[in-house]
Amino acid sequence: MPQQQLDELAARFRDAMAAVCTPVAVVTAMDGERPHGSTVSAFASLSMAPPSVLVSLDRGSDLLGLVLESGTFGMNVLGSAQSALAGQFARKGPEKFQDVSWRVDRGVPRIADVPHWVAAEVMETLDVADHTVVFGRVVDIASETIPPLTYHGRIFGTHAALPPTPTTTGRTPTTTGRTHR
């Protein structure tokens, strides 16, 4: 494919992905005594048996090197009031943790007051394009019911539940996945 077509395809792809709502997390690892972290939106739960997650990290990132070296990483899933943290950890440089309350837990930085925190051990990695997908076995987790921070349309926001609507069968879905009349 000619370069101009590749560039156009990349621009359309970027615009399409901006229209997909994603949760926001800060993936963390230790560099000796210094914490390191980066904002990501390409992460997901993977399996319940064993509990596992995945995250996609740029192959050229310092964070990926630290995760591979240590064999562990933290996933700090941000809440709706934490967009400033997302911005802080999205920038380059060693001062991302400046004025951020955190502690080492299970060998990885755990940011204070995040609604969901996961510590994971690297199970496998897979190089795809310019990223490496890191698969991690969950070794610890903490979770609270707080609205999530999301990224959609190149802006931060949060999720709000829609009011129940009748399905085509005339039944209304419930939060348990069951329906009632």
Side-chain angles (χ1 to χ4, degrees):
M1 186 179 294
Q3 188 60 46
Q4 181 178 353
Q5 286 180 325
L6 285 172
D7 292 345
E8 290 171 4
L9 179 62
R12 290 194 330 265
F13 180 72
R14 193 175 304 110
D15 289 345
M17 292 300 97
V20 176
C21 185
T22 61
V24 182
V26 174
V27 174
T28 58
M30 291 300 293
D31 182 5
E33 297 295 314
R34 186 176 75 83
H36 191 87
S38 291
T39 300
V40 301
S41 59
F43 71 95
S45 62
L46 178 64
S47 176
M48 294 299 292
S52 12
V53 294
L54 64 85
V55 62
S56 178
L57 299 172
D58 186 298
R59 275 205 232 170
S61 72
D62 293 337
L63 179 60
L64 176 61
L66 294 171
V67 167
L68 297 178
E69 183 181 314
S70 68
T72 59
F73 62 96
M75 209 180 305
N76 297 267
V77 184
L78 303 182
S80 60
Q82 295 176 313
S83 61
L85 273 177
Q88 183 166 337
F89 281 91
R91 68 177 193 237
K92 300 279 185 201
E95 303 303 321
K96 295 180 184 184
F97 276 86
Q98 185 173 337
D99 300 323
V100 174
S101 179
W102 66 279
R103 64 185 164 101
V104 175
D105 195 344
R106 292 293 206 137
V108 296
R110 179 176 177 177
I111 298 172
D113 302 321
V114 295
H116 311 288
W117 169 80
V118 174
E121 295 176 342
V122 175
M123 296 167 49
E124 275 189 57
T125 62
L126 178 64
D127 290 339
V128 180
D130 60 355
H131 278 64
T132 296
V133 180
V134 179
F135 300 91
R137 181 183 335 273
V138 174
V139 295
D140 203 358
I141 190 164
S143 188
E144 294 181 42
T145 305
I146 295 174
L149 181 65
T150 59
Y151 193 68
H152 177 254
R154 297 184 177 98
I155 58 172
F156 292 115
T158 193
H159 170 77
L162 297 173
T165 57
T167 65
T168 56
T169 62
R171 297 179 178 188
T172 303
T174 66
T175 57
T176 62
R178 297 186 180 107
T179 56
H180 60 84
R181 290 196 182 263

